[in-house]
Amino acid sequence: MLTTLFSLTSTMALDVNDEGRLLVLYDGTGVRQVNEIAPDGTWRALTDLGDTCRGARFVPGSRRVVVEHDSGGDERGQLSILDLDDPGLPTLTPLVHDPAYNHHLVDAKPDRILFTTNRRNGVDFDLVGRDLPTGTEKALYDGGGWVMAVSLSPDGHWVVLSLASAPANSMQLLLVDTATQAVTELTPADAHNDQTAVSWLPDSSAFLVSSNADRDRMAVRRYDLADAVWSDVLVDDARDLSGWVSPDGEHLLVGVLEDGEVSLALHRLDGSATAPLDLPSGGCAGLTIATPDPLWSADGSFAAITYNSPITPPTVFRYTPATGEVVELRSPGQVEPPAELEHPESLRVPSFDGEQVPVFVFRPTGPDLGSTVVHVHGGPEGAAMRLWSPIISSLAADGHTVVVPNVRGSAGYGKRWYSLDDRELRLDSVKDLAAIHSWLPSIGADPQHAALWGGSYGGYMVLAGVAFQPDLWAAGVDIVGIASLVTFLENTSDYRRAMREREYGYLATDRDFLESASPLSRVDDIRAPLFVIHGANDPRVPLSEAEQITEALTKRDVPCRLLVYPDEGHGLAKLKNRLDAYPQAFTFLREHLTTAE
């Protein structure tokens, strides 16, 4: 079952051109590559690299495509160009290459591309325009900070920058005049605002954005350039909302996030009518890191929507507003997921202070081993969504009950909830794990046979659980996790340090707390066997985090295994590596959970 689940292919929409052609990321080769889907449904592979492609855009008015790709998972994106008039597999020609720095493709116009890069000083990200005919480059913004997202107005005169700001999980919006490089602050740098999904009106007079400024939930807000006024478009005090304006400026695709599920509906921008999209229930269409936002075609005749759920791998659907029709764009040789896959139950766990922790519970779909795996998401301001996860499905197929929590600090349940683990409150989220452990008998699970599994910040939570709660957990699987908040902040990529310090605490002023909240500081208390997976090229959590925790446990004769993949970064992107690492991790869990006392 594990091999079957991990081998199921996924497709994610990247761009749409004027002819109705789609660019998608497709992993039929075992590594995500760029493919094109013609209007008649014909597929064509455009890249065949040994490493993952990260994005692509059509150059309007031509048969050229700009591709972003990295090497060995190092996340230092490089930009190359393809000529699709080339027969067969197009040649990848370098466009913006410097392997020492990051280059992120933002947009492509007939005569230029926009990209962000940290090549000026290795830390700050500038917005650069490159003239395609001449190769001339011009910095449109070099005011410092990490530019997380860029949205170009339809007339090309303005860009909205989303800049990581001072408070944790917050974004500042800047408006840049591309002709003069004049910068206007649209929101304060010190405001506790999360803001995403900028969408321009077709006449470039205003844009919409999903924002929780001055409220707990994400609402759709509008900014009019002429009078510099903000106004609310759609507000729901119980759910997060985002909106994507149609090219005619009259309609809005609205995403509604509720308890890990994202549904879509078509609204008139004046609010006079709403029509839900006929997508499968129980999954997500946009509003997640793992699922791109919906893409409108230039004439508004259709939208490309990437959808996935616990029983459906990422799949592109074509939505036609005029008819309401939603059609799945099936990939070559697409195989149906196993019929026994199930959606989870949604439950709440009372924690130590009376807070209620949202959890999803996946019951065993294979012979019940009587064991439980608590699967913790990364972030920390990420979220466990109702997404495709071959890891979770495989754990359930292997006979485990899988509990997937959104501990405090998780997004998707309001600003108050995701702020409850900031800085000195860090270990309160670890206390949520103990509350889940105590709650397990209420769902018929044996707490004596419970393990932790997590990646990235979820890996930190695994290590914190076995270190700060050594009597509770029978085993742990840590994937690219943080062992010491101090050494992590000291050794992570320079451009990431400032953003991560705002969440965890600052080395200059909070070192004592960071030490106290680090699993490595309590390594002598760890008794649970540990399985560790890491990529050698990880730019976020350095390999040294895995090496120091496994070395410390090995010295104490605590069972511990470390798998390092030399061609991976922050996680396992390649199918061949996933099929090597995860069966070993599953065997490790079966051995230690079935023998736990």
Side-chain angles (χ1 to χ4, degrees):
M1 176 68 82
L2 182 150
T3 300
T4 297
L5 289 169
F6 278 93
S7 299
L8 290 172
T9 58
S10 66
T11 309
M12 300 170 65
L14 295 174
D15 198 13
V16 184
N17 76 358
D18 292 344
E19 300 173 352
R21 296 176 179 272
L22 291 178
L23 289 179
V24 299
L25 284 181
Y26 173 61
D27 59 2
T29 64
V31 183
R32 282 181 175 163
Q33 299 296 305
V34 180
N35 281 237
E36 182 185 55
I37 307 177
D40 65 1
T42 304
W43 284 61
R44 180 187 180 188
L46 302 184
T47 62
D48 187 16
L49 304 175
D51 288 303
T52 298
C53 291
R54 303 177 61 81
R57 288 292 186 99
F58 287 110
V59 177
S62 75
R63 289 294 288 146
R64 292 182 295 168
V65 169
V66 182
V67 177
E68 179 184 341
H69 51 96
D70 68 4
S71 178
D74 63 11
E75 299 184 12
R76 292 194 289 272
Q78 310 298 309
L79 306 183
S80 299
I81 197 161
L82 303 171
D83 186 343
L84 302 195
D85 287 332
D86 288 351
L89 192 71
T91 300
L92 203 67
T93 302
L95 185 65
V96 180
H97 275 224
D98 185 339
Y101 299 106
N102 301 54
H103 311 86
H104 173 62
L105 178 63
V106 169
D107 208 341
K109 296 300 178 185
D111 58 350
R112 68 171 177 165
I113 63 166
L114 298 183
F115 64 95
T116 57
T117 178
N118 65 341
R119 67 188 180 193
R120 178 166 53 87
N121 59 18
V123 178
D124 298 307
F125 281 80
D126 300 338
L127 175 64
V128 177
R130 180 185 177 94
D131 185 81
L132 287 175
T134 66
T136 303
E137 294 185 353
K138 180 180 180 180
L140 303 179
Y141 170 81
D142 58 4
W146 189 349
V147 177
M148 304 291 289
V150 179
S151 182
L152 180 67
S153 64
D155 63 7
H157 188 83
W158 307 96
V159 287
V160 175
L161 305 184
S162 300
L163 194 71
S165 53
N169 202 33
S170 294
M171 294 288 170
Q172 181 189 24
L173 296 183
L174 304 179
L175 183 68
V176 178
D177 185 323
T178 61
T180 66
Q181 286 74 65
V183 177
T184 302
E185 291 192 349
L186 301 182
T187 60
D190 59 355
H192 195 189
N193 301 333
D194 191 14
Q195 303 180 112
T196 185
V198 172
S199 180
W200 282 91
L201 269 61
D203 64 0
S204 302
S205 65
F207 65 84
L208 306 186
V209 64
S210 179
S211 172
N212 61 9
D214 302 320
R215 53 173 49 94
D216 190 53
R217 290 289 187 163
M218 304 288 280
V220 179
R221 305 194 73 205
R222 172 174 174 148
Y223 181 82
D224 286 276
L225 272 64
D227 51 12
V229 170
W230 285 100
S231 58
D232 289 339
V233 177
L234 292 171
V235 177
D236 187 328
D237 291 336
R239 302 179 295 179
D240 288 339
L241 306 177
S242 282
W244 299 274
V245 180
S246 65
D248 64 9
E250 296 182 4
H251 294 86
L252 188 66
L253 266 178
V254 176
V256 180
L257 168 58
E258 183 172 19
D259 199 23
E261 179 179 359
V262 179
S263 59
L264 288 178
L266 185 70
H267 289 232
R268 287 195 62 84
L269 197 54
D270 61 12
S272 61
T274 303
L277 270 63
D278 188 23
L279 288 164
S281 61
C284 294
L287 282 182
T288 77
I289 294 174
T291 306
D293 291 342
L295 300 170
W296 282 103
S297 63
D299 62 2
S301 63
F302 75 94
I305 296 164
T306 305
Y307 171 86
N308 76 125
S309 78
I311 65 171
T312 306
T315 305
V316 176
F317 288 81
R318 183 184 177 110
Y319 165 61
T320 305
T323 63
E325 184 180 35
V326 176
V327 177
E328 180 182 355
L329 302 182
R330 297 179 65 84
S331 59
Q334 183 169 320
V335 177
E336 294 298 324
E340 56 266 37
L341 296 181
E342 297 179 354
H343 289 282
E345 304 169 65
S346 178
L347 302 171
R348 297 293 185 269
V349 176
S351 196
F352 67 96
D353 56 357
E355 295 285 355
Q356 299 287 313
V357 181
V359 300
F360 302 126
V361 177
F362 293 80
R363 300 292 183 172
T365 55
D368 192 344
L369 296 178
S371 52
T372 300
V373 178
V374 178
H375 184 285
V376 190
H377 68 75
E381 65 279 5
M385 303 285 284
R386 298 176 188 262
L387 297 172
W388 174 249
S389 172
I391 291 175
I392 292 172
S393 296
S394 295
L395 287 168
D398 218 32
H400 307 291
T401 295
V402 187
V403 177
V404 183
N406 276 303
V407 296
R408 68 192 67 205
S410 303
Y413 295 87
K415 184 189 300 185
R416 187 193 73 86
W417 184 249
Y418 72 62
S419 302
L420 287 179
D421 72 337
D422 290 350
R423 307 282 287 279
E424 66 278 0
L425 301 177
R426 176 68 41 213
L427 293 179
D428 284 357
S429 63
V430 182
K431 292 178 183 178
D432 286 341
L433 296 180
I436 292 168
H437 187 276
S438 298
W439 167 86
L440 290 176
S442 71
I443 59 169
D446 182 356
Q448 297 301 312
H449 299 266
L452 294 169
W453 180 303
S456 189
Y457 180 75
Y460 164 82
M461 291 289 283
V462 169
L463 297 178
V466 298
F468 290 93
Q469 302 156 1
D471 297 329
L472 302 187
W473 306 105
V477 177
D478 158 33
I479 303 169
V480 297
I482 300 167
S484 165
L485 293 171
V486 172
T487 57
F488 157 67
L489 290 172
E490 289 175 337
N491 298 321
T492 190
S493 297
D494 292 341
Y495 66 92
R496 296 189 60 84
R497 185 173 301 109
M499 190 178 74
R500 294 293 83 185
E501 282 190 313
R502 67 181 187 163
E503 170 73 30
Y504 296 116
Y506 291 85
L507 287 168
T509 56
D510 303 308
R511 182 176 288 264
D512 288 347
F513 168 72
L514 292 168
E515 290 278 11
S516 69
S518 295
L520 195 63
S521 69
R522 301 284 288 270
V523 70
D524 288 344
D525 293 333
I526 297 177
R527 299 194 296 273
L530 195 65
F531 195 95
V532 182
I533 300 169
H534 218 104
N537 306 316
D538 192 338
R540 305 187 192 191
V541 179
L543 175 60
S544 54
E545 292 300 299
E547 292 173 332
Q548 61 186 343
I549 194 71
T550 54
E551 180 182 356
L553 293 179
T554 300
K555 287 180 179 178
R556 295 182 48 246
D557 294 325
V558 175
C560 184
R561 288 196 61 194
L562 171 61
L563 298 182
V564 178
Y565 291 87
D567 56 348
E568 296 281 11
H570 195 61
L572 302 183
K574 298 178 173 66
L575 178 62
K576 65 181 178 65
N577 293 334
R578 294 197 294 270
L579 292 180
D580 179 72
Y582 293 136
Q584 296 183 65
F586 278 60
T587 299
F588 169 88
L589 282 182
R590 281 195 302 271
E591 290 174 351
H592 291 287
L593 287 180
T594 55
T595 59
E597 295 296 333

